Amino acid sequence: MSGPDPERFDAFDARLKKAREQRQEAPERGAVDRSGMGTGLQAGIDVVAGVIGGLLIGWALDRWLGTSPVLLVVFLFLGAAAGTRNAFRTLQRLMEEGDRR
Amino acid sequence: MASPLDQFIIKPIIPIEIAGADLSFTNSALWMAISVAAIYTLVMLGTRQAALVPGRLQSVVELSYEFVASMIRDNAGREGMKYFPIIFSLFMFILFGNMLGMIPGSFTFTSHIIVTFFMAACVFVTVTVIGFMKHGLHFLTLFTPPGAPKAIWPLLVPVEILSYCVRPISLSVRLFCNMLAGLTMMKVFATFAVALGIFGFAPLLIIIALTGLKILVAFLQAYIFTVLTCVYLHDSLHLH
C-alpha cells in the first residue's frame, strides 16, 4: 500500500464518531442506586427531624417565656409542617435526579 | 453476655483533665485520628508522583476527586467548586469513619449523635454565613417562597424558617441512625449465632448479607451527607 488511504481514514472517523455517540447515549448511571425503602426512610427522617426540632424550640421558648405549654403546641405543629416541607423537597430532588438519568 | 450496645461505649485511653473539664483522649478520638491519618496517607501517597498514566493508588485518589467534584458541580453549580476543600474533607472523613467502623473491634465515631450533629451544625453555620456574605440581607428572601400570595406569608414564612433550622437535625440523625442501627443489628445476630450452637449458621448467613449491606450503607450515608451539604450550599449561593 502506498501512502495513506483517505477512504480508510474516513471510515475510521465514521467509526470513531459512532463509538463516541454510543458512549454519550449510554444512560449515565449514578454512583448509587437507591431503593424505594431508602427513599422512604430519607423522607421519614425529614418529617421526624421537623417534629423533634419544633418540640425542642417550643419547649425552650416556653421555659424562657414561662408560657408553657402554648408555644410547645404551636411549634409542634409548625415543626411538623416544616418537616413535611423538607420531606417534600427531598422527594422532589430525588425525582428530578431520577428524571435526569 | 455482652450487650449489643457495648460497642458504642466511649472509653478514655489517656485521661486528661483540664480545669475540671474531661478532655480525655478516648477510643472515639483515636479512631478519628486513625481516619485522618489514613486519608492523609492515601492522598499523599497517591499524589506523590503525578504520573500521566496513574498507578493504583493514584487512580483511587483521582477517582475520589472526580467523584466529589462532579457531585459539587451537579448539586451546587460551578460556583460551588470554591468550597471543594471542605466538602472533600467532609466526605472523606465520614466515609473513612464509616468504613473503618466495619473492622471488627474498631469504634465507629459516626454512630454518635454528637459527632454527626457537630458536623451538621458546622455545615449549617458555614452555609448560612456564605449566604449572608454573598447576598447580604437579601438572603432572607430564601424564606419567602416565590409565587405564593402575600396573604399566606404569615403562615408560610415561619414554616420555611423552621424547615431551614431543622436541617442540621435531619442531616445528623440520618447518618447517626443508619450507623447505629446497622451495627446494633449485626451484634444482635452475632449473639444469636453464638447462642444457637450448631444452628447458628442461619444467623451467620444473615450476618454475611448484613455485612454487604452495611458496606453499601457506609458509602451511601457518606454520599448523602455530602450531597445534602452541596444542596444547602446551592440554596445559599443561588437563592431558589
Side-chain angles (χ1 to χ4, degrees):
Chain A
M1 206 186 280
S2 58
D5 183 352
E7 245 174 56
R8 278 188 56 198
F9 276 115
D10 285 347
F12 178 76
D13 276 347
R15 272 209 340 260
L16 186 68
K17 207 177 151 205
K18 211 173 132 199
R20 279 210 180 122
E21 269 166 11
Q22 262 174 4
R23 239 189 99 179
Q24 291 258 305
E25 270 167 25
E28 236 182 83
R29 291 230 346 205
V32 249
D33 219 46
R34 235 186 294 267
S35 63
M37 202 179 101
T39 314
L41 271 178
Q42 276 239 29
I45 285 173
D46 275 326
V47 176
V48 172
V51 173
I52 293 174
L55 277 176
L56 278 178
I57 295 172
W59 177 77
L61 282 179
D62 264 346
R63 263 181 67 124
W64 182 43
L65 300 170
T67 49
S68 177
V70 180
L71 290 177
L72 185 79
V73 175
V74 171
F75 272 88
L76 171 65
F77 284 106
L78 277 182
T84 316
R85 176 90 179 93
N86 269 347
F88 177 71
R89 238 187 240 133
T90 306
L91 292 176
Q92 210 174 25
R93 194 173 50 76
L94 288 177
M95 267 168 72
E96 270 168 21
E97 242 170 60
D99 284 348
R100 236 187 292 155
R101 252 164 230 165
Chain B
M1 198 169 284
S3 146
L5 296 177
D6 276 357
Q7 54 181 325
F8 303 117
I9 295 176
I10 291 186
K11 302 181 194 86
I13 296 174
I14 308 167
I16 306 168
E17 203 176 302
I18 298 171
D22 189 6
L23 298 176
S24 306
F25 187 81
T26 59
N27 49 355
S28 175
L30 173 71
W31 281 94
M32 284 186 204
I34 291 175
S35 315
V36 172
I39 297 166
Y40 187 79
T41 318
L42 174 75
V43 176
M44 278 304 141
L45 283 182
T47 54
R48 198 179 40 187
Q49 36 173 207
L52 195 59
V53 179
R56 273 182 230 128
L57 265 183
Q58 200 186 330
S59 321
V60 171
V61 176
E62 283 181 6
L63 265 176
S64 40
Y65 170 86
E66 283 294 329
F67 184 69
V68 177
S70 71
M71 191 149 69
I72 297 175
R73 272 194 293 262
D74 289 350
N75 293 295
R78 242 166 221 292
E79 301 92 325
M81 281 306 280
K82 233 188 349 192
Y83 307 99
F84 177 83
I86 184 169
I87 292 175
F88 185 75
S89 315
L90 206 58
F91 176 72
M92 292 304 262
F93 188 61
I94 297 172
L95 182 67
F96 271 67
N98 291 353
M99 286 296 183
L100 287 174
M102 294 294 298
I103 300 171
S106 73
F107 181 85
T108 321
F109 56 82
T110 43
S111 64
H112 276 262
I113 183 80
I114 190 64
V115 176
T116 58
F117 186 74
F118 179 71
M119 288 193 283
C122 284
V123 168
F124 177 75
V125 171
T126 312
V127 161
T128 312
V129 168
I130 288 171
F132 274 115
M133 267 166 56
K134 196 164 155 65
H135 301 284
L137 282 179
H138 195 65
F139 178 61
L140 292 175
T141 56
L142 184 70
F143 302 125
T144 57
K150 285 227 161 58
I152 56 169
W153 273 22
L155 188 64
L156 266 184
V157 172
V159 169
E160 285 287 326
I161 293 176
L162 209 58
S163 83
Y164 185 81
C165 293
V166 298
R167 276 168 168 188
I169 298 179
S170 61
L171 196 59
S172 54
V173 166
R174 202 182 330 258
L175 176 59
F176 141 82
C177 268
N178 275 284
M179 299 322 288
L180 187 83
L183 287 169
T184 311
M185 214 144 78
M186 257 161 98
K187 280 284 153 69
V188 168
F189 277 107
T191 317
F192 287 164
V194 173
L196 284 177
I198 48 163
F199 296 107
F201 69 89
L204 199 63
L205 288 179
I206 297 177
I207 295 174
I208 294 172
L210 267 182
T211 309
L213 187 72
K214 271 281 296 164
I215 291 175
L216 176 74
V217 168
F219 172 75
L220 200 66
Q221 288 306 316
Y223 172 77
I224 289 176
F225 195 98
T226 329
V227 159
L228 286 175
T229 306
C230 293
V231 170
Y232 299 160
L233 189 63
H234 178 269
D235 278 356
S236 28
L237 287 176
H238 302 282
L239 298 179
H240 300 301

